């Protein structure tokens, strides 16, 4: 089971396990500042923060599992099979494909608060990277040195939860994970 966790001392740490029995060809991927990113519906982002993380690069696009930008904002996507629900394109929203979410947020946000403001305008698309690749069913831990949130796209819509423990694992949904801490 994959788990992402934050740890705060005088420094800030963010990490995750990637508990797969196989590899998609993932590697450490460094995206320099202002490397052109092309999004399915949002056009190009020619000016953005530098990003480093674990990704599988296909067709010159980084499919990030997790990453951090030069400002210290971090994101990890964890399996959320059976609960993730993405949508068709919506008018008046920033329509972002699920595989674009990490570079979309890390490219333009320096803090969790900035990410929350961006998420309010987002609609996560139900479009796979390629027709031959399955749509990854994920939820995300987003953190900076001051706090963490969990983002879930479920049937009821996008849900953003303050994450006081700074930890997220695969299923179940985040409210149930918090309740299970009682055990």
């Amino acid at each position: 089971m994959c788990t992402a966790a934050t740890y705060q001392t005088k420094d800030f740490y963010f990490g995750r396990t990637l508990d797969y029995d196989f590899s998609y060809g993932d590697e450490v991927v460094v995206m320099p500042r202002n490397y052109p990113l092309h999004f399915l519906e949002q056009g190009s982002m020619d000016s953005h923060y530098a990003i480093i993380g674990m990704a599988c690069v296909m067709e010159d696009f980084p499919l990030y599992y997790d990453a951090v930008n030069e400002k210290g904002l971090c994101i990890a996507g964890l399996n959320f099979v059976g609960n993730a629900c993405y949508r068709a394109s919506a008018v008046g929203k920033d329509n972002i494909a699920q595989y674009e979410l990490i570079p979309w947020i890390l490219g333009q946000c320096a803090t969790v608060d900035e990410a929350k403001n961006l998420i309010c305008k987002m609609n996560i698309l139900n479009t796979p990277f390629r027709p031959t690749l399955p749509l990854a069913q994920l939820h995300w831990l987003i953190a900076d040195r001051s706090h963490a949130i969990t983002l879930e796209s479920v049937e009821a819509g996008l849900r953003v939860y303050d994450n006081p423990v700074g930890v997220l694992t695969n299923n179940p949904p985040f409210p149930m994970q918090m309740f299970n801490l009682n055990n």
Side-chain angles (χ1 to χ4, degrees), residues 12 15 17 21 35-37 40-41 43 46 60 66 104 126 142 148 166-167 182:
F12 170 67
T17 62
D21 293 340
Y35 178 85
L37 280 169
L40 191 62
E41 292 197 17
D46 296 325
D60 208 28
D66 52 76
W104 177 255
N126 58 359
I142 305 171
V167 176
N182 292 317

Side-chain angles (χ1 to χ4, degrees), residues 49-50 68-74 106 109-111 114 144-145:
Y49 296 124
V68 59
N69 70 15
E70 66 183 275
K71 298 296 181 180
L73 184 64
C74 311
L106 292 183
C109 298
T111 66
E114 288 179 14
D144 62 23
R145 72 171 26 259

Side-chain angles (χ1 to χ4, degrees), residues 102-124:
I102 290 177
W104 177 255
I105 292 174
L106 292 183
Q108 54 192 320
C109 298
T111 66
V112 167
D113 290 333
E114 288 179 14
K116 285 168 80 172
N117 289 333
L118 193 66
I119 290 166
C120 290
K121 300 180 273 184
M122 266 180 33
N123 175 47
I124 302 176

Side-chain angles (χ1 to χ4, degrees), residues 90-111:
V91 176
K93 291 284 194 178
D94 291 339
N95 293 297
I96 304 300
Q98 167 275 318
Y99 60 86
E100 299 172 329
L101 185 136
I102 290 177
W104 177 255
I105 292 174
L106 292 183
Q108 54 192 320
C109 298
T111 66

Side-chain angles (χ1 to χ4, degrees), residues 65-175:
Y65 297 86
D66 52 76
V68 59
N69 70 15
E70 66 183 275
K71 298 296 181 180
L73 184 64
C74 311
I75 302 178
L78 293 112
N79 279 331
F80 198 45
V81 176
N83 289 300
C85 182
Y86 309 129
R87 298 184 166 48
S89 187
V91 176
K93 291 284 194 178
D94 291 339
N95 293 297
I96 304 300
Q98 167 275 318
Y99 60 86
E100 299 172 329
L101 185 136
I102 290 177
W104 177 255
I105 292 174
L106 292 183
Q108 54 192 320
C109 298
T111 66
V112 167
D113 290 333
E114 288 179 14
K116 285 168 80 172
N117 289 333
L118 193 66
I119 290 166
C120 290
K121 300 180 273 184
M122 266 180 33
N123 175 47
I124 302 176
L125 298 175
N126 58 359
T127 308
F129 182 73
R130 285 185 188 156
T132 57
L133 285 178
L135 188 61
Q137 297 181 54
L138 303 173
H139 58 172
W140 297 267
L141 176 65
I142 305 171
D144 62 23
R145 72 171 26 259
S146 63
H147 60 289
I149 60 173
T150 295
L151 171 62
E152 295 181 340
S153 184
V154 294
E155 191 173 325
L158 278 182
R159 298 292 183 253
V160 177
Y161 302 99
D162 285 323
N163 186 328
V165 294
V167 176
L168 183 68
T169 189
N170 300 337
N171 279 318
F174 183 69

